[in-house]
């Protein structure tokens, strides 16, 4: 028996009990094992995520067990561990999924330098506010509000995965616009934070408190376009007059 085989035998009972599995980080993806690679593995992963999201909303994060999730999604505890590590890893994956969906709205402007700052920021801002008003997104935020004190690691992960990541990605885009002379921005990170604040305003808070009061799409469109214009008026490139 080789040393590696002996290590696997010694490790197996621990993993079966759900102890000692590698911690799931905010940036970690699924490991490439038999249960995670390929269409069937990805479908199983999504089924677990969908079941977990539903149960976290219905029962709360603390009261939902891994057995509950497996009963709805199917599969095994070993498969769940292989994909996510543990219940907190599952919730991180849900937040990563939400954040990836939100940031996808910035990708076209980042990929095409021909997109004007107004067009790029408007498209991203509209995508952002619609995503924030989405029922699944607000449900995730409600869970964090309800259980954040009990699971502070999850709350901290939310800010790293969500707002801080969004500020960083938007700051990179604003820096590119400033470096090219399209805008004049001294502190892209501060400008990104200000832009996100202007665009989201009290929309998310209102949606959380009054879930039936989401603004109509035309009103949302006008609100976002006005916020973008105000931001660009403050960040427009300075023109030096010839002496």
């Amino acid at each position: 028996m080789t040393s590696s085989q002996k290590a696997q035998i010694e490790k197996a009972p621990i993993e079966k009990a759900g102890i000692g599995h590698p911690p799931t980080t905010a940036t970690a993806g699924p490991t490439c094992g038999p249960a995670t690679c390929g269409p069937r593995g990805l479908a199983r992963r999504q089924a677990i995520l969908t079941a977990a999201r539903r149960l976290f909303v219905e029962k709360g994060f603390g009261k939902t067990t891994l057995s509950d999730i497996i009963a709805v999604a199917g599969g095994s505890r070993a498969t769940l561990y292989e994909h996510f590590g543990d219940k907190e890893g599952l919730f991180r994956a849900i937040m990563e999924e939400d954040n990836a969906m939100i940031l996808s709205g910035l990708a076209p402007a980042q990929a095409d330098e021909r997109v004007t700052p107004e067009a790029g920021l408007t498209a991203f801002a509209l995508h952002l506010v619609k995503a924030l008003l989405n029922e699944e997104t607000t449900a995730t935020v409600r869970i964090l509000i309800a259980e954040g004190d009990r699971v502070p690691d999850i709350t901290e992960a939310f800010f790293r995965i969500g707002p801080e990541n969004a500020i960083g990605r938007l700051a990179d885009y604003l820096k590119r616009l400033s470096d090219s002379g399209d805008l004049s921005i001294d502190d892209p990170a501060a400008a990104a934070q200000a832009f996100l604040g202007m665009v989201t305003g009290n929309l998310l808070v209102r949606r959380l408190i009054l879930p039936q009061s989401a603004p109509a799409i035309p009103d949302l469109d006008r609100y976002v376009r006005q916020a973008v214009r105000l931001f660009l008026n403050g960040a427009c490139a300075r023109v030096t007059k010839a002496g």
Side-chain angles (χ1 to χ4, degrees):
M1 180 182 293
T2 66
S3 59
S4 62
Q5 287 173 328
K6 183 178 180 182
Q8 287 177 348
I9 292 173
E10 291 173 347
K11 186 179 178 184
I14 296 177
E15 291 181 333
K16 187 175 182 181
I19 304 168
H21 47 75
T24 303
T25 63
T27 57
T31 55
C32 191
T36 55
C37 291
R40 289 186 64 184
L42 293 176
R44 173 57 56 206
R45 182 180 192 273
Q46 191 58 49
I48 295 171
L49 273 178
T50 300
R53 188 189 288 271
R54 192 189 100 192
L55 289 168
F56 289 158
V57 172
E58 292 176 355
K59 299 183 65 173
F61 178 82
K63 293 182 179 179
T64 298
T65 66
L66 295 183
S67 296
D68 293 333
I69 295 168
I70 293 167
V72 173
S76 67
R77 190 175 291 257
T79 300
L80 189 151
Y81 284 146
E82 189 172 356
H83 280 289
F84 305 105
D86 54 18
K87 191 167 70 169
E88 291 189 1
L90 254 173
F91 198 82
R92 288 190 186 93
I94 288 171
M95 291 189 290
E96 289 169 354
E97 189 175 65
D98 289 346
N99 189 64
M101 181 265 294
I102 288 171
L103 289 180
S104 67
L106 187 58
Q110 288 179 308
D112 189 351
E113 295 185 0
R114 296 171 299 177
V115 176
T116 66
E118 182 172 6
L121 290 173
T122 298
F124 170 58
L126 282 169
H127 180 85
L128 170 66
V129 295
K130 290 174 183 177
L132 287 178
L133 298 179
N134 179 280
E135 288 185 10
E136 290 188 345
T137 306
T138 52
T140 301
V141 177
R142 286 192 184 97
I143 294 169
L144 289 165
I145 293 171
E147 310 210 31
D149 288 342
R150 203 184 62 78
V151 281
D153 288 349
I154 289 292
T155 308
E156 291 173 7
F158 165 76
F159 284 101
R160 290 194 305 271
I161 295 168
E164 291 176 12
N165 193 15
I167 289 170
R169 288 278 297 276
L170 181 57
D172 289 342
Y173 176 60
L174 294 177
K175 183 178 185 303
R176 192 192 86 190
L177 293 176
S178 186
D179 290 345
S180 67
D182 291 317
L183 298 179
S184 178
I185 297 175
D186 296 327
D187 188 339
Q193 189 166 5
F195 177 79
L196 292 173
M198 289 174 66
V199 168
T200 57
N202 70 344
L203 290 174
L204 181 57
V205 173
R206 186 175 181 84
R207 173 73 164 151
L208 291 170
I209 297 174
L210 301 170
Q212 305 304 320
S213 66
I217 295 299
D219 295 334
L220 202 59
D221 186 85
R222 284 193 294 272
Y223 173 84
V224 164
R225 291 181 185 280
Q226 182 179 26
V228 171
R229 284 195 296 270
L230 287 170
F231 176 81
L232 290 177
N233 285 340
C236 61
R238 301 176 182 86
V239 179
T240 304
K241 294 182 179 180

